[in-house]
Amino acid sequence: MTSESAPHPGPGPETDTAPDTVVPESAKRLASVRSDARRRSAVALVAPVVAAAFFVPSAFYLAWQLTTSVLPPSRFEELTTDRPRAELAPLLPARAYPYPPDQARSASRPPGTRCEFYRSGRDLLDEVDLYRLCWSGNALLTKDIVPARRP
């Protein structure tokens, strides 16, 4: 019995390499669009996280600055001029207000004095009156109220 059998193609030089395939232009464009979409998606997810990592601590720091520079009106009334800072220190907040408006900062003041500003209230979302305390050496020379700009 003779059986005719065709040789089985096995691994050989003819079957090792696939015929040269031409990738259609549309497939290349699709791959490029998908890659760009993945990149944009990654940026869309990472950008808010990076922004929050910067802005949230900044907002807390600003709120801390605003609330630790508040001089209540009753304490402002207790301050009397020509008293040394050491006597007035228990009435003053831990820190002066670091961001007075330009018109308050540039207002006329007695020569040879340094002025500090304090907020009159804890309201973070609205402008409040500022208290300006001007010191000559180590004594309180003047105290003024700088009204808030209200519309």
Side-chain angles (χ1 to χ4, degrees):
M1 250 181 124
T2 63
S3 87
E4 290 184 22
S5 62
H8 294 284
E14 302 89 37
T15 58
D16 274 358
T17 59
D20 288 336
T21 56
V22 176
V23 178
E25 185 63 33
S26 61
K28 291 179 185 176
R29 179 72 181 136
L30 178 62
S32 173
V33 167
R34 284 182 177 165
S35 175
D36 290 346
R38 280 192 294 272
R39 190 175 316 109
R40 285 189 201 114
S41 295
V43 169
L45 293 174
V46 171
V49 172
V50 170
F54 173 75
F55 288 115
V56 169
S58 298
F60 278 111
Y61 181 66
L62 178 61
W64 175 78
Q65 286 182 322
L66 296 178
T67 57
T68 58
S69 62
V70 174
L71 178 62
S74 59
R75 286 199 177 167
F76 178 74
E77 294 302 322
E78 292 179 42
L79 298 174
T80 55
T81 56
D82 297 324
R83 287 183 55 199
R85 187 177 188 107
E87 286 181 27
L88 299 175
L91 300 173
L92 297 175
R95 54 186 287 114
Y97 178 56
Y99 311 113
D102 290 337
Q103 86 269 5
R105 198 178 307 204
S106 62
S108 64
R109 62 181 183 180
T113 61
R114 65 177 166 71
C115 297
E116 298 172 348
F117 295 88
Y118 297 92
R119 292 173 46 86
S120 64
R122 294 190 182 274
D123 191 352
L124 299 178
L125 300 177
D126 195 15
E127 290 191 44
V128 296
D129 294 339
L130 295 179
Y131 298 133
R132 182 178 79 160
L133 305 179
C134 293
W135 304 86
S136 177
N138 204 21
L140 180 61
L141 187 62
T142 62
K143 65 179 201 173
D144 304 307
I145 298 175
V146 179
R149 293 178 302 189
R150 293 188 173 90

